[in-house]
Amino acid sequence: MAQQPRSDRTIPLEPTTLRVALLGCGVVGTEVVRLLTTQAADLAARVGARLELVGIAVRDVEAERDPVVDRSLLTSDAEGLVEKADVVVEVVGGIEPARSLLLRAIEHGAAVVTANKALLAQDGPTLYAAADAAGVDLYFEAAVAGAIPIVRPVRESLVGDRVQRVLGIVNGTTNYVLDRMATEGLDLDAAVAEAQALGYAEADPTADVEGFDAAAKAAILASLAFHTRVSIDDVDRQGISSVTADDVAWAARTGHTIKLLAIAERSDEGVQVRVHPALVPLTHPLAGVRGAFNAVFVEAEAAGELMFYGRGAGGAPTASAVLGDVVSVARHRVLGGRGPVESAYAALPVLPASAARTRYQVRLEVTDQPGVLAQVAAVLAEHGVSIEAVRQPPGRALEPGVDDVAQLVISTHTATEAALRATVAAIEGLDVVRRVLSVLRVEGA
Ligand code: NDP
Ligand code: HSE
């Protein structure tokens, strides 16, 4: 027998109207209001009940708002608002008060829709457990890759298959920054400043640039794909702050482009989830993902390779995903039934970064003299790291007045992260190596 919601106070028996409470009216919230307002008749037809926006909780009720926002709905009493809604949409962001408000909404029998990747990646199981106990829906399509339907495909469409790997560009800001570095030769700071001016990056771009945003999304996708709890703390994270214009130029010279990738993969030993900049061959579809767009590759045993592409950020695209969830949970209110609950039965071991196996490209600045390459190659061999190719670009002087140095660009075959780290440390210790210019993984080859 279907589990009934714990509270029947907010559940109309034959609903002709469902009360929707909106928490947050910023970039995304404003566009949620616009869709709820302008598409009201269509939404009612699709749901089978009218969706009535009963309140909008914000921090500052006096602040200027888009004219689409009915100011009489604004309130600073978010706690009171969630108690009188059938559906609560949270687009506030951050951990608190978002978590407490969602838990309160669930406790009062409301279905909840959130775009909050940070909260889900840190404390998703608490929300799932509360929603399960109350018998209500918890939906979060907008939390990963904005408008792109990727949560539902992984959570529902592929649930009969065995997902092996998820590989994607899930942060629009960093993709824009790397794209501008590659196409315009900008340095990182200039490209980030451009992204801020265009509204892609936050005033404090740390969450994007340092990979926290992508890591949260990777954790959510990995949890769904592998039926295993993965939190943001399990994700090996490296942002793009160390990527230089020189790295980007070098990538192009070797037939690659640099992308910030989120990777979640299953092996016989468990699952490994990581976010880092990587060299992607120019022939790979992810290399063609330009500007602030996102794209996610999913590899499943029976389905094979699937690719999802679109706008991963921005008010209207994200609101589209939010409204899709609102319609789904509202339909359940009208017709009965519930969406999926947490699926963490597999409980696979979450492996450390050192277990990851990839190919690498290592760029070194070395003394230009006979025998240097042999010394470097010997270190790689000692650590069991196989060389795929070595390039020594022509033109020796890297700095004015320095003419006895050369660059070596070493591409490896697949090696573990642990072996590569030990190799690089040993290479750094060689007298003939002036500095390690960069170590980048190669993905998608
Ligand atoms: P904004 O900062 O633009 O908006 C946040 C809103 O929350 C504001 O309206 C703010 O009120 C309100 N708020 C903040 N604190 C409180 C509080 N204590 N009580 C009530 N309201 C509060 O954020 P975004 O719209 O950009 O993001 C919202 C969520 O959507 C986040 O979880 C984000 O990660 C996610 N998301 C965002 C995307 C994007 O492109 N922006 C894409 C995908 C997901 P006030 O207006 O008064 O300041
Ligand atoms: N800041 C994110 C991005 C959007 O640049 O992709 C919200 O997920």
Side-chain angles (χ1 to χ4, degrees):
M1 204 173 103
Q3 196 177 358
Q4 291 302 310
R6 185 187 277 169
S7 163
D8 59 4
R9 195 156 58 84
T10 56
I11 316 294
L13 284 175
E14 287 178 359
T16 52
T17 299
L18 289 169
R19 293 160 296 174
V20 179
L22 180 63
L23 309 180
C25 192
V27 173
V28 179
T30 302
E31 298 311 313
V32 170
V33 174
R34 199 181 311 283
L35 286 182
L36 275 172
T37 309
T38 58
Q39 311 283 345
D42 285 323
L43 292 171
R46 291 167 197 173
V47 169
R50 201 169 70 86
L51 299 178
E52 183 191 356
L53 186 56
V54 292
I56 306 170
V58 290
R59 198 168 22 196
D60 179 3
V61 289
E62 303 301 333
E64 209 173 303
R65 304 279 164 191
D66 186 290
V68 79
V69 176
D70 176 352
R71 298 192 70 89
S72 70
L73 294 175
L74 295 174
T75 176
S76 55
D77 179 17
E79 293 189 354
L81 178 61
V82 300
E83 292 179 9
K84 53 184 185 197
D86 302 300
V87 177
V88 171
V89 176
E90 186 270 310
V91 281
V92 169
I95 306 302
E96 286 294 350
R99 173 172 47 200
S100 301
L101 290 170
L102 284 173
L103 291 174
R104 195 180 181 97
I106 289 168
E107 206 175 289
H108 281 81
V112 294
V113 173
T114 178
N116 194 332
K117 71 220 71 159
L119 175 56
L120 287 160
Q122 191 182 92
D123 205 10
T126 300
L127 296 179
Y128 275 124
D132 205 23
V136 299
D137 278 333
L138 167 64
Y139 271 57
F140 47 88
E141 182 62 65
V144 183
I148 305 174
I150 183 67
V151 168
R152 197 174 313 240
V154 176
R155 196 184 190 194
E156 300 186 49
S157 317
L158 290 167
V159 75
D161 204 336
R162 184 180 163 92
V163 176
Q164 297 290 13
R165 193 166 191 245
V166 181
L167 168 79
I169 295 168
V170 292
N171 183 267
T173 302
T174 46
N175 201 57
Y176 178 83
V177 167
L178 292 169
D179 192 28
R180 295 295 289 166
M181 290 173 78
T183 55
E184 299 299 319
L186 299 184
D187 68 19
L188 183 87
D189 290 345
V192 170
E194 248 193 40
Q196 283 172 313
L198 287 166
Y200 297 139
E202 306 284 325
D204 174 3
T206 312
D208 293 316
V209 171
E210 296 302 342
F212 290 101
D213 177 80
K217 293 165 179 169
I220 294 168
L221 288 179
S223 303
L224 298 173
F226 304 130
H227 305 273
T228 292
R229 284 184 179 171
V230 180
S231 95
I232 189 165
D233 299 329
D234 296 317
V235 181
D236 179 55
R237 176 194 52 79
Q238 185 196 339
I240 63 165
S241 55
S242 62
V243 176
T244 64
D246 196 33
D247 292 332
V248 173
W250 254 101
R253 288 177 73 174
T254 57
H256 297 87
T257 188
I258 299 182
K259 297 290 186 190
L260 183 72
L261 297 184
I263 301 167
E265 50 197 1
R266 176 209 296 265
S267 65
D268 291 343
E269 290 79 37
V271 301
Q272 212 275 322
V273 190
R274 57 190 197 272
V275 166
H276 54 72
L279 292 165
V280 175
L282 291 170
T283 48
H284 192 278
L286 285 180
V289 178
R290 306 285 311 277
F293 277 77
N294 285 189
V296 184
F297 255 80
V298 181
E299 293 169 25
E301 228 167 60
E305 289 185 347
L306 305 159
M307 183 167 166
F308 302 83
Y309 172 83
R311 293 185 192 281
T318 307
S320 163
V322 169
L323 260 292
D325 282 353
V326 168
V327 168
S328 294
V329 304
R331 280 176 173 158
H332 292 153
R333 287 286 150 140
V334 174
L335 300 170
R338 264 175 76 199
V341 296
E342 184 184 26
S343 175
Y345 73 93
L348 299 172
V350 182
L351 306 171
S354 55
R357 292 184 62 84
T358 48
R359 295 168 52 212
Y360 292 85
Q361 190 183 86
V362 182
R363 279 197 306 125
L364 307 174
E365 191 178 83
V366 297
T367 307
D368 196 9
Q369 65 186 44
V372 171
L373 180 56
Q375 286 188 52
V376 172
V379 172
L380 282 136
E382 276 163 27
H383 290 82
V385 177
S386 167
I387 296 174
E388 190 237 326
V390 179
R391 297 175 187 81
Q392 180 173 349
R396 302 195 309 179
L398 296 180
E399 297 165 32
V402 179
D403 61 4
D404 64 341
V405 297
Q407 266 197 74
L408 281 184
V409 183
I410 301 166
S411 302
T412 76
H413 287 296
T414 305
T416 64
E417 169 95 18
L420 201 277
R421 277 186 195 162
T423 307
V424 170
I427 287 175
E428 271 176 327
L430 292 174
D431 287 345
V432 293
V433 173
R434 284 168 53 95
R435 56 189 170 137
V436 175
L437 295 166
S438 73
V439 179
L440 283 165
R441 291 142 164 134
V442 184
E443 298 283 353

